């Protein structure tokens, strides 16, 4: 296989991240949760005292709008609040998504279901697999970028909301291809060719024109001119001509797969 890709950066966020709003204005009388606590829908997380000078009222409960995890608490006892002021946030941490912005020139290469390989600075040696689950139908006019969202194929508790992801998005996959190091290709006067090891004693080369397909990192797809398992010169080839005698000092058994597959 040979897989072409694009690289982006993205931010991990909770799929559901909702502000918790009180029903009335007043003073916070009690806060009953802390960041990290799990709550159920309509669980009371705080009480608001709406009393005014000369008028005493019952405490008003502030309830969680959804079940999830408390990710922020913005008030303490004694804080003044209103129905427009968030007292905290509750998120569904079990369903995370990764948002990324795609420059306009790459929009035609993006579609739902594409696979991506993610890396995080917290786990530099680990690769996490995700796929695109949502593509915006419009572009942002100020940045000329299109929004897209990815989801991890397998949930992993090590990934936290707020992390930065380095995304390698697979845009094209070629199977059963002949691929060689791109450095093995010599270009002269607009023609591309390689030097194929020839002869019974493997001590000479044949100049072989090739048709090059896609190039990915240091690898190139060969559409025609070289067959699988043929040996090509990957170093010193710029000094060769058709029929040149060679002395092989080392061999590369195979091309390493792209880093993401390890």
């Amino acid at each position: 296989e040979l897989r072409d890709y694009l690289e982006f950066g993205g931010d991990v966020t909770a799929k559901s991240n909702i502000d918790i709003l009180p029903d009335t204005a007043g003073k916070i009388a009690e806060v009953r949760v802390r960041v990290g606590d799990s709550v159920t829908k309509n669980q009371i997380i705080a009480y608001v005292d709406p009393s005014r000078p000369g008028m005493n009222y019952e405490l008003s409960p502030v309830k969680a709008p959804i079940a999830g995890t408390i990710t922020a608490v913005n008030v303490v006892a004694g804080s003044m609040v209103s129905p427009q002021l968030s007292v905290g946030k509750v998120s569904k941490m079990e369903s995370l998504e990764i948002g990324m912005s795609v420059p306009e020139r790459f929009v035609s290469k993006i579609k739902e279901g594409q696979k991506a390989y993610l890396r995080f600075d917290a786990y530099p040696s680990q690769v996490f697999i995700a796929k695109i689950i949502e593509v915006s139908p419009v572009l942002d006019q100020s940045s000329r970028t299109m929004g897209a969202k990815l989801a991890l194929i397998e949930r992993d508790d090590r990934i936290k909301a707020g992390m930065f992801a380095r995304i390698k998005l697979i845009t094209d996959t070629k199977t059963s291809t002949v691929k060689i190091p791109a450095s093995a290709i010599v270009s002269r006067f607009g023609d591309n060719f390689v030097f194929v090891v020839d002869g019974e004693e493997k001590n000479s080369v044949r100049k072989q024109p090739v048709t090059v397909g896609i190039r990915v990192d240091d690898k190139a797809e060969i559409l025609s001119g070289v067959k699988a398992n043929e040996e090509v010169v990957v170093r010193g080839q710029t000094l060769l001509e058709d029929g040149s005698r060679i002395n092989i000092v080392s061999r590369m058994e195979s091309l390493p797969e792209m880093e993401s597959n390890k």
Side-chain angles (χ1 to χ4, degrees):
E1 287 190 343
L2 187 61
R3 283 172 279 192
D4 201 3
Y5 65 88
L6 296 171
E7 292 185 308
F8 302 100
D11 296 308
V12 181
T13 59
K15 194 170 184 179
S16 297
N17 188 34
I18 300 177
D19 285 311
I20 305 171
L21 301 173
D23 293 328
T24 185
K27 183 184 294 185
I28 293 291
E30 180 186 359
V31 178
R32 305 187 67 176
V33 295
R34 296 182 297 176
V35 172
D37 287 351
S38 295
V39 295
T40 58
K41 184 178 181 180
N42 292 324
Q43 179 177 331
I44 296 174
I45 64 144
Y47 282 101
V48 175
D49 182 0
S51 299
R52 299 289 184 272
M55 295 181 289
N56 294 322
Y57 298 102
E58 293 286 337
L59 296 179
S60 173
V62 181
K63 299 179 180 181
I66 61 171
T69 302
I70 299 296
T71 56
V73 176
N74 303 328
V75 296
V76 295
S79 299
M80 297 300 297
V81 296
S82 68
Q84 295 78 35
L85 181 64
S86 170
V87 301
K89 289 182 181 290
V90 60
S91 306
K92 287 188 175 292
M93 302 304 295
E94 67 275 10
S95 56
L96 299 176
E97 60 187 20
I98 300 94
M100 67 179 187
S101 297
V102 180
E104 185 175 358
R105 65 183 181 277
F106 298 133
V107 164
S108 63
K109 296 185 177 183
I110 308 300
K111 60 184 179 182
E112 284 189 33
Q114 284 177 318
K115 185 182 291 187
Y117 298 95
L118 276 55
R119 287 187 182 274
F120 299 91
D121 289 344
Y123 310 104
S125 62
Q126 299 291 315
V127 175
F128 302 85
I129 303 176
K131 67 177 181 179
I132 292 183
I133 58 171
E134 181 182 309
V135 177
S136 173
V138 297
L139 271 67
D140 184 283
Q141 290 186 341
S142 59
S143 63
R144 298 298 176 187
T145 60
M146 178 182 71
K149 294 180 180 179
L150 303 95
L152 292 170
I153 291 179
E154 293 185 6
R155 180 185 171 186
D156 195 308
D157 291 336
R158 293 176 295 174
I159 307 306
K160 311 293 184 184
M163 282 185 168
F164 177 78
R166 304 180 191 280
I167 303 166
K168 184 174 284 188
L169 181 69
I170 307 302
T171 58
D172 190 14
T173 300
K174 299 292 186 73
T175 59
S176 301
T177 64
V178 175
K179 62 180 179 181
I180 64 173
S183 59
I185 301 170
V186 180
S187 298
R188 293 177 185 170
F189 307 108
D191 296 325
N192 294 319
F193 54 87
V194 298
F195 288 98
V196 179
V197 178
D198 204 6
E200 293 183 1
E201 298 181 3
K202 301 291 185 180
N203 59 0
S204 63
V205 293
R206 179 181 80 253
K207 181 180 177 181
Q208 180 63 50
V210 294
T211 302
V212 182
I214 64 173
R215 297 181 187 235
V216 180
D217 296 333
D218 60 344
K219 297 178 288 291
E221 175 192 19
I222 301 300
L223 301 176
S224 64
V226 175
K227 298 177 181 178
N229 297 321
E230 282 191 304
E231 285 190 310
V232 298
V233 180
V234 297
R235 290 184 182 175
Q237 68 275 20
T238 56
L239 303 175
L240 299 177
E241 296 294 342
D242 190 33
S244 294
R245 305 280 288 184
I246 61 169
N247 177 34
I248 299 175
V249 295
S250 65
R251 278 186 167 89
M252 178 188 295
E253 293 299 327
S254 63
L255 271 179
E257 292 298 321
M258 68 185 292
E259 181 184 6
S260 304
N261 292 339
K262 292 183 180 178

